[in-house]
Every structure is written in C-alpha cells, then in structure tokens.
C-alpha cells in the first residue's frame, strides 16, 4: 500500500476529515509554489526575458494539464479565484447578454450558496426567474426535473455534480440531456466531483463546468471555469483591465482571444503553478484509486454509524453513487459541540449548514456535522472519529 | 487561559435555568450565520426599571445556550441601564474560559441577542416616558 501520509505531514498530528471544505496540499505542491517565488518570480504573458518566459511556460503548462485531465481544449480553460468566482462570472456575463426578464434559470434543491446567490442577484438585477428541482430522498427527483424543464423552458440549467452535504453524485448525462430539450445552457458545479471522480467535459457535452483548485490538492485562490469554445466566444467579458484586451483606445477596447478574454489582471501565478503540481499528483494516484479508497472508508463509516443508535445520517448511504461525505447529527447534541469535542482528539470535522441553507431547510433541520474523506485518509482516521463520537455521547449523555 | 470544561458546559446545556419563552417581555434576536444558530432573549422589566425576569430560547450549541443562560442570570434583579453594556470580556469572565476564534461567534450570538433585547426595552421605555 502506498503511504500518502508522508506527503501530507499534517496527517501525523491530525485526523483531517474536512477535505470537502478544502483538501490538504502535498509537499510537492508547496514546493512548486515556493520554487516560483524563489527562482522565477516574474509576471506572466508580458516579458520577453528568461524569468518571465519560464513563469509563463509553467503557468500555461497548468492550463494544458487541466485541459487534458478534464477533456477540454486549453483555450477553453479559464483561471479564476474559485468555484464561486467561476459561477459569478457566468451569472454576470449571461445576465449581460442572453438572459432577459422573465427567463428561467433552473437549479436544484441541493445547491451550494455559490450556485444560488449569483442567480438570485440576477433575479434582482434583471428580473429572471429562479426555480428549483426538488429532492427524492438524497437524490434529485428526475421526474420533477423533466416536469420543470417542460413547464419553465429554462434558458439555463445549473446544477451540482456532487453534493457537499449529501455526497450524492447526480446523473449528469441525464440532466444535460433533459436540459437540452429546452435548448438550455448547462452549467455544472464540479467543486465536489472534480477532486473525486473522473469528469470528462467534452464527453458529457455540458457547456460549462466550475471547480476549485484548493479542494483538489491545490492552493487556495485558484479556480477553474471550463467552457465550450463556441459559448465562451459569445459571452461578453467579465472584468476589464490588463491582459484581457487586444487593444485599447480612449474610445473603446477590443477584448483578447480566449482564454485571456476572461483573465483580467495579474493572476495567482504561484497558485496556478502549484495547482499544476497538484494535478500531477492526482494523475499519479489515479481516480480509480481515489474512488476505491473513499468508497471503502465511506462504507466502513456507515457500518460503524449504524451500530450506534444515537446517530442520524443525512448523507447518501448508496456508497456506489456518492463521494466520501458523511453528514450526520448526534441525538440531542448540537454539531458545533460535536465538532469542538472531536477537536480535543484532533479529529477535524465541520459543523453548520455547509453553505447549503435551502437544502437544510428542505431536510427540516438547521445544521449537520460533516466528516469528509479524501484518498489520504485511513481506517485509523475513521476509528478516531468514532472514538470521539463515543466521548461526545458520554459527555452529553445524549 | 483555562480549557473548556465540556462536562460542566454539557451539564448546564442540558439543564438551563432560563430556557423558556416569556410572554409580554421585550425581545431581541440574533443569528450566527455560518452554523445556522438563532437565539432569542426575553427581558421583562418591572415598574421601577429593574429586570424582573429574563429568558432565552432558540436553536443553539452548548456554548451559545450556556452564554445566554448566564446572561439571564446576570441580568435578573439589576437595572436595565446597568446590564446593557455587558461585553465580550465580561462574558468571558462569567464563562471562565476564552473561547477559540472559531467559537467566539457562539458567545457573540447570545450577546447580540441580549443587546438587541436591551435596545428594544430602552427604546420602548423612552417612548413611554415621553408620552
Ligand atoms: C458544491 C460546492 N460548490 C461550490 C463551492 C464553493 O467553492 P469555493 O468556496 O472554493 O468557491 C463549494 C465549496 O464548499 C462546494 O462544495
């Protein structure tokens, strides 16, 4: 068995079970960032001297790796700050072009706030309609999906590939096919899927996908938006400034070609280069391995949880169709207290609504505790979690 | 700094002294948005300006609930003007430990609700006087 822990030294001291919030970064990623700052800390795309050219090469190398891993062309890959910015870019630019008052944007009941609020902002600004596909258990209600596509004829269908609370992996192919019935632009929030399962942009035929480097072993401050070339060409620019223009006069400007058109200003160069190292690492591990480790551990978690009478599980128990997320509550104990007590044993989990308040309302609860996995976790981490939960039960006599 | 004594916290959380609704009292409310907590504080003021009773209610963790409970304890029997300025430092002294940065919000949500209730009481009190 490969010992990943040596590349993530924090794991020697902590049982880190919050990778859905942000993953740990292997030393290879940290070193790649440091090397940029130490050896070639120049700006990209602007210099014709060696340092700048090396920075540009490394920066663009990450774009190429991203394109290869996700089945896209390099010019279809845009670097942003995070998933949130990628989705805001889309909402803002679609709101400035194709979306009109009364048009419907169809979302789902399980979305993260970052795929709800930008559309609600557009509702205020442009007067679009925002509708939601309902749940059926921990999955989407695909009949409702079909019905709502028929009823509202949405211009945009934006949905999460995998849920950050339920763990459920949505049937992307089916949704995209349904959405195409109304000719809708399709957007997929891959923040929770891209780190865990193979996502093939061109094969899915989706128009846009968005995700964050920091959940995929990469640094914070780097996000990705991949869009079909034909779609991106049609969109107006998002932010204006340096890098995103071909020429500027006092009267006007011509935007740059893709992908620079959407990359105004100096990007997070070190972060993007670090993300390149993260993708190399992921490739070495392989999605097959990532999935098998996570599914094995998730099955083990669910088995342990079933043995305890005082744990209510909210996340999907259909291990074959979920990413490694365990959302739960301990009877009679607030998840904040669960998390704080687990922290005493250096077990890191998250508590709250996980930026999915509408989902929690739908489930009839205010908050959950959430443990989430990545391939570097082990059975010992899960055992520490349950040992901690037994202590929670003891202290609160739940 | 003292460590959190979870056993003590859990004890008071399970058996709070003032967790109830107070009919006809001044109310204040606050939410801690990252965790979805919500606390309501009730203050009922007697004719002579003294707080006759105080209570709290809502969804909240042990730390927020116990903070609210302690604030009620602290307020009852005192004059409204004397308790309105209770601050985070005072709250920390009552608790006996300094909450970590991640949990400071749990204490603040109760303080905010308390201050909100005080403001409602003051405002209404003034209006009554000027009548
Ligand atoms: C499903 C989903 N979408 C979007 C986001 C937002 O990611 P970021 O905060 O990196 O923009 C998250 C992160 O928690 C997420 O889980």
């Amino acid at each position: 068995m490969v010992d990943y822990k040596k590349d993530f030294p924090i794991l020697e001291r902590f049982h880190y079970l919050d990778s859905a919030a942000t993953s740990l970064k292997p030393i290879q990623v940290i070193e790649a960032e440091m090397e940029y700052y130490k050896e070639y800390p120049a700006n990209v795309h602007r210099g014709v001297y060696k340092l700048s050219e090396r920075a540009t090469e490394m920066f663009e190398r990450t774009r190429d790796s991203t394109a290869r891993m996700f089945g896209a062309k390099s010019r279809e890959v845009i670097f942003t700050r995070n998933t949130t910015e990628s989705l805001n870019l889309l909402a803002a630019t679609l709101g400035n072009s194709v979306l009109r008052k009364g048009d419907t944007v169809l979302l789902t009941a399980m979305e993260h706030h970052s795929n709800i609020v930008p559309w609600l902002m557009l509702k205020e600004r442009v007067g679009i309609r925002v509708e939601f596909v309902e749940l059926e258990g921990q999955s989407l209600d695909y009949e409702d999906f079909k019905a709502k596509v028929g009823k509202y004829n949405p211009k945009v269908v934006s949905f999460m590939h995998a849920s950050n609370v339920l763990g459920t992996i949505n049937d992307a192919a089916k949704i995209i096919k349904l959405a195409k019935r109304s000719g809708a632009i399709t957007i997929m929030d891959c923040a929770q899927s891209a780190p865990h399962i193979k996502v093939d942009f061109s094969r899915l035929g989706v128009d846009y996908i968005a995700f964050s480097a920091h959940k995929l072993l990469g640094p914070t401050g780097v996000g990705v938006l991949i869009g079909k070339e034909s779609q991106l060409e049609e969109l107006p620019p998002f932010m204006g400034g340096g890098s995103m223009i071909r020429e500027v006069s006092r009267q006007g400007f011509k935007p740059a070609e893709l992908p620079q058109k959407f990359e105004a200003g100096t990007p997070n160069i070190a972060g993007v280069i670090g993300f390149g190292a993260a993708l190399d690492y992921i490739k070495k591990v392989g999605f097959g391995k990532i999935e098998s480790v996570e599914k094995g551990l998730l099955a083990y978690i669910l088995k342990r949880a079933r043995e305890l009478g005082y744990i209510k599980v909210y996340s999907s128990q259909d291990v074959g169709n979920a990413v490694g997320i365990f959302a739960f509550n301990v009877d009679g104990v607030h998840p904040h207290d669960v998390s704080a007590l687990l922290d005493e044993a250096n077990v890191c989990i998250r508590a709250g609504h996980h930026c999915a308040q509408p989902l929690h309302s739908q489930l009839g609860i205010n908050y959950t505790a959430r443990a989430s996995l990545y391939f570097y976790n082990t059975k010992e981490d899960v055992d520490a979690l349950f040992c901690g939960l037994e202590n929670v039960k003891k202290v609160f006599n739940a | 700094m003292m460590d959190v004594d979870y056993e003590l916290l859990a004890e008071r959380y399970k058996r709070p002294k003032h967790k109830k609704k107070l009919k006809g009292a001044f109310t204040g409310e606050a939410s801690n948005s990252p965790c979805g907590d919500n606390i309501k504080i009730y203050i009922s003021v007697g004719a002579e300006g003294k707080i006759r009773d105080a209570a709290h209610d809502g969804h909240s963790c042990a730390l927020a609930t116990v903070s609210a409970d302690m604030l009620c304890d602290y307020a009852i029997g005192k004059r409204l003007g004397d308790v309105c300025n209770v601050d985070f430092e005072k709250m920390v002294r009552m608790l006996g430990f300094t909450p970590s940065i991640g949990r400071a919000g749990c204490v603040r949500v109760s303080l905010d609700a308390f201050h909100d209730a005080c403001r409602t009481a003051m405002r209404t009190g003034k209006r009554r006087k000027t009548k």
Side-chain angles (χ1 to χ4, degrees):
Chain A
M1 208 183 95
V2 195
D3 181 16
Y4 300 111
K5 296 218 167 181
K6 69 175 186 345
D7 293 333
F8 302 88
I10 286 219
L11 290 171
E12 282 164 22
R13 287 176 289 140
F14 290 93
H15 297 288
Y16 187 75
L17 294 169
D18 196 19
S19 293
T22 196
S23 76
L24 298 177
K25 331 296 172 199
I27 45 181
Q28 289 84 341
V29 168
I30 298 162
E31 279 168 3
E33 266 208 77
M34 198 159 72
E35 194 187 353
Y36 162 74
Y37 282 123
K38 266 168 70 181
E39 306 293 336
Y40 55 106
N43 210 331
V44 290
H45 300 141
R46 294 177 194 178
V48 287
Y49 53 95
K50 284 193 286 300
L51 290 184
S52 173
E53 286 179 335
R54 182 166 172 208
T56 305
E57 253 168 47
M58 291 301 285
F59 186 87
E60 290 303 320
R61 182 185 163 273
T62 302
R63 196 188 307 277
D64 297 340
S65 309
T66 309
R68 261 195 312 279
M69 182 169 287
F70 294 94
K73 296 179 211 155
S74 289
R75 52 191 267 115
E76 295 178 318
V77 175
I78 291 153
F79 290 121
T80 61
R81 281 191 306 141
N82 45 39
T83 307
T84 305
E85 187 173 290
S86 299
L87 294 170
N88 273 273
L89 184 160
L90 289 174
T93 52
L94 288 167
N96 288 337
S97 53
V98 298
L99 288 175
R100 297 279 139 76
K101 188 168 186 231
D103 286 348
T104 297
V105 170
L106 186 58
L107 310 175
T108 83
M110 49 171 93
E111 298 308 311
H112 186 279
H113 293 167
S114 64
N115 193 27
I116 302 175
V117 182
W119 304 111
L120 291 178
M121 286 164 73
L122 217 51
K123 179 177 171 178
E124 286 181 10
R125 180 158 75 83
V126 179
I128 60 159
R129 241 180 124 117
V130 180
E131 295 293 338
F132 295 83
V133 173
E134 300 301 339
L135 302 177
E136 187 181 287
Q138 276 106 345
S139 300
L140 289 176
D141 179 344
Y142 291 94
E143 283 308 310
D144 190 50
F145 218 126
K146 209 184 289 175
K148 283 190 172 140
V149 167
K151 182 168 173 201
Y152 298 112
N153 206 26
K155 283 268 174 67
V156 171
V157 172
S158 188
F159 64 100
M160 57 182 6
H161 194 190
S163 162
N164 61 319
V165 178
L166 303 170
T168 312
I169 301 171
N170 292 320
D171 189 340
K174 189 168 181 167
I175 294 170
I176 293 158
K177 199 166 146 210
L178 279 175
K180 295 236 158 111
R181 284 189 184 177
S182 75
I185 293 169
T186 47
I187 301 170
M188 192 157 88
D189 170 357
C190 294
Q192 296 297 343
S193 60
H196 305 284
I197 57 176
K198 176 86 190 144
V199 176
D200 192 326
F201 173 74
S202 58
R203 223 176 78 197
L204 280 168
V206 65
D207 293 312
Y208 298 99
I209 65 172
F211 54 92
S212 297
H214 72 89
K215 296 186 201 278
L216 227 161
L217 305 186
T220 55
V222 176
V224 175
L225 171 66
I226 299 180
K228 272 190 193 154
E229 200 174 350
S230 56
Q231 293 281 344
L232 288 170
E233 296 282 8
E234 291 300 310
L235 279 189
F238 177 43
M239 287 192 279
S243 299
M244 56 71 71
I245 40 80
R246 194 166 5 185
E247 56 182 67
V248 185
S249 68
R250 287 193 174 187
Q251 284 71 40
F253 71 96
K254 279 206 190 102
E257 295 286 323
L258 292 175
Q260 267 76 38
K261 177 179 165 188
F262 294 102
E263 292 182 357
T266 299
N268 183 349
I269 304 168
V272 167
I273 290 169
F275 182 45
L279 292 176
D280 291 344
Y281 197 101
I282 292 277
K283 195 162 163 227
K284 215 170 60 195
V285 180
F287 282 108
K289 177 82 185 174
I290 293 175
E291 278 197 63
S292 74
V293 170
E294 289 175 11
K295 286 190 194 308
L297 289 178
L298 183 60
Y300 179 54
I301 287 181
L302 293 170
K303 174 177 160 283
R304 295 282 312 258
R306 274 192 293 272
E307 286 163 10
L308 304 178
Y310 50 89
I311 298 215
K312 179 153 175 48
V313 182
Y314 293 95
S315 50
S316 172
Q317 312 213 27
D318 177 8
V319 175
N321 199 34
V323 292
I325 283 177
F326 171 52
F328 65 99
N329 272 325
V330 177
D331 282 349
V333 190
H334 189 290
H336 238 165
D337 297 315
V338 173
S339 171
L341 260 178
L342 288 172
D343 183 47
E344 308 245 298
N346 290 334
V347 176
C348 315
I349 68 154
R350 189 151 287 257
H353 52 57
H354 318 294
C355 297
Q357 261 184 324
L359 171 63
H360 280 80
S361 310
Q362 203 61 28
L363 297 172
I365 46 178
N366 286 307
Y367 28 62
T368 47
R370 180 187 75 186
S372 55
L373 302 163
Y374 213 0
F375 63 88
Y376 42 61
N377 288 121
T378 57
K379 189 166 168 288
E380 285 75 60
D381 297 326
V382 175
D383 288 335
L385 168 68
F386 280 91
C387 182
L389 288 176
E390 278 161 30
N391 183 45
V392 169
K393 158 87 177 156
K394 204 173 89 226
V395 170
F396 280 87
N397 193 22
Chain B
M1 194 186 95
M2 269 180 62
D3 277 345
V4 188
D5 186 338
Y6 279 101
E7 314 265 345
L8 266 179
L9 209 59
E11 207 38 57
R12 182 137 187 195
Y13 176 58
K14 277 183 283 180
R15 279 176 274 279
K17 291 198 267 179
H18 308 288
K19 187 159 168 127
K20 61 184 178 209
K21 289 188 173 68
L22 276 187
K23 267 219 182 105
F26 298 113
T27 61
E29 208 170 347
S31 301
N32 190 12
S33 108
C35 59
D37 280 5
N38 179 277
I39 287 221
K40 202 163 176 177
I41 297 258
Y42 302 84
I43 293 180
S44 105
V45 185
E48 62 302 345
K50 268 198 184 148
I51 295 174
R52 213 183 309 134
D53 202 359
H56 62 94
D57 190 29
H59 310 277
S60 56
C61 65
L63 187 48
T65 308
V66 171
S67 299
D69 215 47
M70 284 180 164
L71 280 168
C72 293
D73 251 359
Y74 170 73
I76 294 169
K78 294 202 177 66
R79 304 187 68 81
L80 189 57
D82 294 337
V83 299
C84 280
N85 294 328
V86 57
D87 60 6
F88 191 76
E89 277 62 46
K90 172 82 190 166
M91 194 67 241
V92 165
R93 283 199 294 280
M94 287 196 259
L95 283 165
F97 65 88
T98 308
S100 60
I101 186 165
R103 302 217 75 192
C106 312
V107 175
R108 290 227 158 80
V109 67
S110 294
L111 265 175
D112 288 349
F114 185 78
H115 289 147
D116 191 38
C118 286
R119 271 194 302 274
T120 314
M122 297 284 246
R123 226 183 295 126
T124 320
K126 268 200 197 115
R127 217 181 302 135
R128 270 193 204 135
K129 252 184 233 159
T130 50
K131 251 185 202 166

